[in-house]
């Protein structure tokens, strides 16, 4: 618990590489206590910090996560998949939806019509991980 708190405390760093690395650490070692901090990090000004926060919240293979993403978190990741100004964040948000098994309807739309090939490819992969109900 003390180790996780050190990671959380470091998220306030002015240096983006530190925030990214600490979010990555919370992906593996984090628990429910760190979720609000990772959710806030989804609004970070640096794209790779935003996508790491989304990954840390959604990847069940990397650590202790809830059974399903909270509806508001899933909705924020879905908005990032469509509207984030960074194409890398958009691509990674699509993957995060797949890792969480969320957003099937949006993923189908992105796979069929997004202008970016990698978003389309990631959406197809994500759909293979997502329940059909959507």
């Amino acid at each position: 618990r003390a180790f996780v708190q050190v990671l959380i405390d470091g998220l306030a760093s002015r240096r983006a590489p530190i925030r990214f690395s600490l979010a990555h650490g919370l992906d593996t070692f984090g628990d429910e206590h760190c979720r609000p901090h990772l959710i806030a990090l989804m609004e970070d000004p640096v794209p790779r910090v935003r996508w790491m926060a989304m990954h840390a919240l959604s990847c069940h293979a990397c650590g202790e996560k809830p059974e399903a993403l909270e509806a508001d978190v899933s909705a924020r990741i879905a908005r990032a998949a469509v509207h984030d100004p960074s194409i890398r964040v958009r691509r990674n948000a699509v993957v995060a939806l797949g890792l969480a098994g969320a957003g099937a309807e949006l993923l189908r739309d992105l796979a069929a019509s997004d202008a970016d090939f990698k978003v389309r490819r990631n959406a197809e992969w994500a759909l293979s991980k997502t329940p059909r109900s959507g």
Side-chain angles (χ1 to χ4, degrees):
R1 180 87 169 175
F3 175 69
V4 170
Q5 190 59 52
V6 168
L7 298 178
I8 290 169
D9 291 345
L11 294 175
S13 173
R14 293 184 324 146
R15 298 185 55 214
I18 291 174
R19 293 191 309 276
F20 174 85
S21 295
L22 295 174
H24 190 239
L26 288 172
D27 179 30
T28 301
F29 300 107
D31 56 18
E32 289 297 313
H33 178 68
C34 69
R35 291 185 71 73
H37 305 281
L38 289 166
I39 291 167
L41 215 55
M42 289 172 49
E43 302 299 325
D44 196 271
V46 176
R48 74 182 192 140
V49 175
R50 291 196 301 273
W51 68 254
M52 180 49 70
M54 291 177 209
H55 175 85
L57 289 162
S58 64
C59 182
H60 296 282
C62 297
E64 183 180 320
K65 309 290 191 305
E67 289 301 311
L69 274 182
E70 300 91 330
D72 62 320
V73 174
S74 182
R76 287 173 73 175
I77 294 173
R79 279 193 302 276
V82 176
H83 299 295
D84 197 278
S86 167
I87 192 63
R88 288 184 151 194
V89 171
R90 291 186 58 232
R91 292 170 181 163
N92 282 284
V94 168
V95 170
L97 289 172
L99 291 171
E105 184 176 336
L106 172 63
L107 291 171
R108 282 191 289 277
D109 291 345
L110 292 172
S113 63
D114 196 87
D116 183 72
F117 167 76
K118 290 182 181 179
V119 168
R120 291 193 311 270
R121 182 190 63 198
N122 289 358
E124 290 171 6
W125 174 86
L127 279 168
S128 74
K129 306 295 181 195
T130 305
R132 287 279 179 216
S133 62

